[in-house]
Amino acid sequence: MNIDLKEYITEKRAKIDQFIIEYFQPFIIPQVLHDSVLYSLTAGGKRIRPLLCIASYEACNGKEDIIPYAVAIEFIHTYSLIHDDLPAMDNDDLRRGKPTNHKVFGEGIAILAGDGLLTEAFRILSNPLYAKIKADTLLRVIYEISMAAGLRGMVAGQAYDLISEGREPNREIVEFIHLHKTAAMIRASVKTGALLAEASEDKINRLESYGEAIGLAFQIVDDILDIESTTEVMGKPQGSDIQKGKMTYPRVYGIEKSRQKAKELIDKALERLSIFDEKAEPLRQIAFYIFKRTS
Amino acid sequence: MNIDLKEYITEKRAKIDQFIIEYFQPFIIPQVLHDSVLYSLTAGGKRIRPLLCIASYEACNGKEDIIPYAVAIEFIHTYSLIHDDLPAMDNDDLRRGKPTNHKVFGEGIAILAGDGLLTEAFRILSNPLYAKIKADTLLRVIYEISMAAGLRGMVAGQAYDLISEGREPNREIVEFIHLHKTAAMIRASVKTGALLAEASEDKINRLESYGEAIGLAFQIVDDILDIESTTEVMGKPQGSDIQKGKMTYPRVYGIEKSRQKAKELIDKALERLSIFDEKAEPLRQIAFYIFKRTS
């Protein structure tokens, strides 16, 4: 199948955006909370995680409209960015070229917006009315996502990221951070698609390790872009990881070896897709896109 | 049935505490995150919400061990306290007579500990191996709890609480705050017990409104205690609500009318239990306890 990734992404993104807008009608009260949540949800995110979830679902022959469940993952991603930008965490003023949530709405509301988005994700995932999905499948999805996002997943990665600032580069710690902070939720996004499609355990496992590989590659490329890109393209200050003494891949391995590692991970991810037919084409192209992205 | 509430609570609390300790073996990494989470989970909470969940389950003839699901609710409660105490929120230094989480572990780790506890709650609720509960029942429980805790529940109440500080007392706003900030999760705790027991819709509805009534009463008594109790008994500074210009019941209605309102709510709650047999005795006694508590 010759798919146009750009067209594929544009079409899915429109549906994702539409669901987000509709989900917040009627308005949340108080209004400042509503505005804060919508501000970050519509701040120009690439929607990589929900796109991966949908592409994985389609690669496994899924036929239902699973946009709501995919959007739940974007809610969790968005919450993690809002909290990550807080002064007590990364203390970032800019995200995707715009002031961060707490800069606009204050820290208290930003914390609550994040808390609320995380919680709403599970409200969406536990609503069986969105598509014909079995209850025990949805339970398994909730389990996977909460494990990937929780105290032994993304939160652990963020905590290590926080306490490692300014420390000597260390291979074990940078691996731990990348695996937990970024790869865990990307892996869970891909796995969710496979679970929702009731794929075979073999396919679920393959997609899971595809997801982990591109998740790690994504973070390594992110680390490289922090050094090589510009503030304009990135939408956040160039070199901010270095300035904060972040435990990044290039700091531990150097730029060339980091790029090579990312390439290996993409190759590994593509290998895992080998048994899939042309319906996995978007997943293959997303892997390339992650390696080649510039922002 | 002549139950000794003290004995009942002591026995259940021991099981709740045991599950919490076991849940965090093996250790969470990094250790500071582990310590932060355990610090707040074992800081002497009254365990009202899980107790209500268990008592409601037993009132509906439930026979399984549902401690894990009840503890999930305590995780959500604990997360809400950790975030609520943050400088950007209520800025409290003491909670139950001890330094608040961020005072001990720093703001960044406190935010992450709260995020992690909220997420883990859903991991527990989506694990079907803890007891013989149907998948669609667990889904419904997750839906109820996430609705009560989310952007249209507890988080909305906290947001209104935050933005209303220092404003003129207002009946509508204080009702909204109490209903969302406190009563929603207490209602959901009681309802969860009924759902897990597969109770009739009539019983579920009755327990839900019992839960909402005692939840509102709980918050009104809390507001009164803030004025009438001492710092030693409360474990936090006496009069702190007034000092912060919080929108409390006594500020809007005066102390006497507030006490009367709490009494009416307890009477209403007990009336809702009228069709239940002696297995609802703990629920009846907890209603009295909430009205008469001194800390």
Side-chain angles (χ1 to χ4, degrees), chain A residues 23-34 37 75 79 83 86 88-89 107-109 111-120 122-128 134-136 138-140 142-147 149-160 162-163 176, chain B residues 23-34 37 75 79 83 86 88-89 107-109 111-120 122-128 134-136 138-140 142-147 149-160 162-163 176:
Chain A
Y23 189 79
F24 293 105
Q25 288 162 343
F27 240 66
I28 306 162
I29 288 169
Q31 170 132 19
V32 62
L33 184 64
H34 181 96
V37 164
F75 277 22
Y79 120 74
H83 281 192
L86 288 166
M89 309 276 282
E107 279 182 56
I109 290 296
I111 292 168
L112 288 169
D115 292 344
L117 281 169
L118 172 57
T119 315
E120 290 302 310
F122 293 105
R123 179 148 94 109
I124 294 174
L125 293 168
S126 61
N127 186 340
K134 287 186 208 152
D136 48 9
L138 286 178
L139 267 196
R140 193 170 164 194
I142 294 170
Y143 188 83
E144 288 296 334
I145 291 177
S146 54
M147 189 160 62
L151 285 171
R152 291 191 168 86
M154 185 172 67
V155 166
Q158 298 278 29
Y160 239 126
L162 186 67
I163 63 173
F176 183 96
Chain B
Y23 190 79
F24 292 106
Q25 287 163 344
F27 241 65
I28 308 161
I29 288 170
Q31 170 132 18
V32 63
L33 185 64
H34 181 95
V37 164
F75 278 21
Y79 120 75
H83 282 192
L86 288 166
M89 308 277 282
E107 278 182 57
I109 291 295
I111 292 168
L112 288 169
D115 292 345
L117 280 170
L118 172 57
T119 315
E120 290 301 311
F122 293 106
R123 179 148 94 110
I124 294 174
L125 292 168
S126 61
N127 186 338
K134 286 186 208 153
D136 50 8
L138 285 179
L139 267 195
R140 192 168 166 196
I142 294 170
Y143 188 83
E144 287 296 335
I145 290 177
S146 55
M147 189 161 65
L151 284 170
R152 292 193 166 86
M154 184 172 68
V155 166
Q158 298 277 29
Y160 239 127
L162 186 67
I163 63 174
F176 184 97

Side-chain angles (χ1 to χ4, degrees), chain A residues 206-255:
Chain A
R206 282 175 170 272
L207 287 169
E208 195 172 1
S209 62
Y210 158 90
E212 185 167 292
I214 62 163
L216 283 172
F218 186 90
Q219 186 58 50
I220 294 171
V221 171
D222 221 57
D223 290 354
I224 296 172
L225 286 173
D226 181 70
I227 298 168
E228 298 201 329
S229 189
T230 64
T231 302
E232 289 68 37
V233 173
M234 289 291 282
K236 60 183 179 184
Q238 187 265 340
S240 66
D241 289 347
I242 292 176
Q243 217 181 342
K244 287 174 192 147
K246 285 276 184 196
M247 196 72 68
T248 72
Y249 236 78
R251 259 188 80 204
V252 175
Y253 293 96
I255 289 231

Side-chain angles (χ1 to χ4, degrees), chain B residues 139-204:
Chain B
L139 267 195
R140 192 168 166 196
V141 164
I142 294 170
Y143 188 83
E144 287 296 335
I145 290 177
S146 55
M147 189 161 65
L151 284 170
R152 292 193 166 86
M154 184 172 68
V155 166
Q158 298 277 29
Y160 239 127
D161 190 52
L162 186 67
I163 63 174
S164 302
E165 277 184 15
R167 292 207 195 155
E168 278 302 296
N170 174 313
R171 285 178 189 214
E172 258 176 71
I173 293 179
V174 80
E175 297 281 354
F176 184 97
I177 292 172
H178 281 42
L179 206 53
H180 291 74
K181 193 178 81 165
T182 312
M185 273 304 291
I186 290 181
R187 185 189 66 222
S189 307
V190 177
K191 187 170 182 179
T192 292
L195 289 171
L196 290 173
E198 312 259 358
S200 68
E201 288 302 319
D202 176 49
K203 283 191 172 175
I204 293 171

